[in-house]
Amino acid sequence: MTEAEFEALVSEAMLAPSAHNTQPARWSRDRDTILVSADLSRRLPVGDPDDRDLHISCGAAVEGTVLALATRAMGASVTWSTEPDSGKMRPIARVTPEERPDPDNVRLARFVSVRTTHRTGFMPVSADALAGWEAPCLTLIRETNDLAWLGRQIDIASAAIMRDKAFRKELLTWMRLKRSEPRYHSDGLNADVLAMDRVTAALVRPILGSYLYDLLALLGFGPALSGEAKVSQSGGAIALFHWPEGQSHLEAGRAFYRLWLEATSRGLAGWPAAALADHPETRISVSSQTGIPPGRVLLNALRIGVPKGRTPDRSRLSVKDVIEHRL
């Protein structure tokens, strides 16, 4: 594999989703074996103190590497690393190319370049688009009353999480609210991706960065400030992603990425609602109400539907930024 071929492969692998678009995965080579590591400087110590989301994000990046190999008619074996952290880097996995790709990897790899997060609302999804979609990690919610209830839970959970000043401060470090910001198109959550107009974007930092949000929340406006309940049910489906308790979050990241690509293959766009899983009380309530099997933990939710309006371009680091050159 030449350096140019390696860079082209990484440019596809790095399109995998990550929490807050932090893009923690880094790639290097040991001959033709591809090494994936986590850049610990891109952790979320407040929002993700146990590195669950870091590992899910890196697991998705590993799956992205496997899929990038599939587009080159190669299979792959994945070996998870047991090496300790080295400075600011955490070894994650070795991906070894093999001769024959999994046919389903070849199929899903075709949708990597078109999968995006869509926040501007959905048109309802047809029954045909969801027909036959089943997976052990998936509970698909379609009933109108259930969607309305989940939409309210998303707003309630978001409001509860946002009451934490430290969380808001950390979130603001990953928000790019002015086009003049140097990293607007590189990482984090920019105003276009968040579907914010100029006025809203200008108000976000003064509200979230001050006691004004606390006052509004105290007055009972917290869920209304999220304002996602209506759009959460506009697509007509929410995919709840759950995983066996105590099992690898790296493997969970691979499965979540495949779930999202499966939605993309059906002509659907997605918008995560991680608050459902991140807020403990809501997670328990949603798991009970929606029949998630015992022994499985809700890790994320994906609002899905036919995209309505324009989907903004991705924000991504350059390939050079994510390739780790080792001696």
Side-chain angles (χ1 to χ4, degrees):
M1 188 184 301
T2 67
E3 188 64 21
E5 289 170 336
F6 179 57
E7 289 186 7
L9 185 146
V10 171
S11 71
E12 296 174 22
M14 65 185 290
L15 296 179
S18 60
H20 287 0
N21 194 27
T22 51
Q23 301 172 62
R26 298 293 179 265
W27 286 261
S28 59
R29 288 192 293 162
D30 180 3
R31 296 183 176 85
D32 282 344
T33 297
I34 301 164
L35 309 177
V36 181
S37 303
D39 182 344
L40 299 180
S41 70
R42 304 180 80 81
R43 293 177 65 242
L44 299 168
V46 178
D48 184 32
D50 300 323
D51 288 340
R52 183 197 71 181
D53 291 339
L54 176 78
H55 288 159
I56 290 175
S57 299
C58 287
V62 169
E63 187 64 18
T65 306
V66 171
L67 295 173
L69 286 168
T71 66
R72 291 155 176 80
M74 287 186 282
S77 63
V78 174
T79 304
W80 300 115
S81 177
T82 58
E83 297 177 25
D85 295 353
S86 176
K88 291 185 177 181
M89 302 302 295
R90 175 174 297 167
I92 296 294
R94 299 175 67 93
V95 183
T96 305
E98 296 181 343
E99 288 188 359
R100 297 178 182 175
D102 183 319
D104 202 45
N105 288 347
V106 175
R107 178 183 70 87
L108 288 179
R110 298 200 302 267
F111 301 98
V112 166
S113 63
V114 294
R115 183 213 62 84
T116 57
T117 299
H118 185 86
R119 291 181 171 86
T120 56
F122 305 103
M123 295 181 288
V125 57
S126 68
D128 290 343
L130 299 176
W133 190 13
E134 297 180 355
C137 61
L138 169 67
T139 295
L140 196 60
I141 306 300
R142 293 206 61 199
E143 294 295 329
T144 301
N145 289 340
D146 293 336
L147 289 171
W149 182 80
L150 277 177
R152 292 193 297 271
Q153 300 314 302
I154 291 170
D155 278 358
I156 291 169
S158 296
I161 291 169
M162 294 291 281
R163 288 293 300 272
D164 184 342
K165 299 181 184 68
F167 177 87
R168 297 202 308 270
K169 182 178 180 180
E170 182 178 78
L171 175 61
L172 283 170
T173 67
W174 289 98
M175 296 181 82
R176 319 284 181 240
L177 301 173
K178 296 181 179 180
R179 286 184 170 274
S180 58
E181 294 182 41
R183 292 163 61 184
Y184 190 89
H185 295 291
S186 298
D187 62 7
L189 305 168
N190 69 36
D192 289 333
V193 166
L194 292 169
M196 289 182 180
D197 57 40
R198 289 179 179 272
V199 173
T200 303
L203 292 173
V204 167
R205 199 170 297 278
I207 292 176
L208 294 186
S210 71
Y211 288 99
L212 180 57
Y213 185 91
D214 297 312
L215 176 60
L216 292 171
L218 187 64
L219 294 174
F221 292 108
L225 292 173
S226 173
E228 297 176 5
K230 185 175 181 180
V231 72
S232 292
Q233 56 186 301
S234 64
I238 294 179
L240 300 177
F241 173 72
H242 44 80
W243 198 247
E245 187 173 5
Q247 296 300 306
S248 168
H249 288 144
L250 291 166
E251 289 286 4
R254 297 183 68 182
F256 180 65
Y257 191 18
R258 294 181 72 85
L259 188 79
W260 200 336
L261 289 171
E262 179 62 37
T264 306
S265 77
R266 294 166 178 262
L268 306 173
W271 176 15
L276 287 181
D278 292 343
H279 186 241
E281 290 83 358
T282 305
R283 180 176 64 244
I284 293 169
S285 178
V286 168
S287 298
S288 174
Q289 182 78 12
T290 60
I292 291 176
R296 301 184 72 87
V297 179
L298 179 67
L299 291 185
N300 211 328
L302 197 63
R303 296 166 277 207
I304 52 177
V306 178
K308 180 180 180 181
R310 187 184 74 86
T311 298
D313 296 333
R314 291 187 184 92
S315 296
R316 281 295 183 274
L317 297 166
S318 73
V319 175
K320 303 287 187 182
D321 290 331
V322 300
I323 290 180
E324 181 191 6
H325 293 285
R326 299 188 178 188
L327 298 177

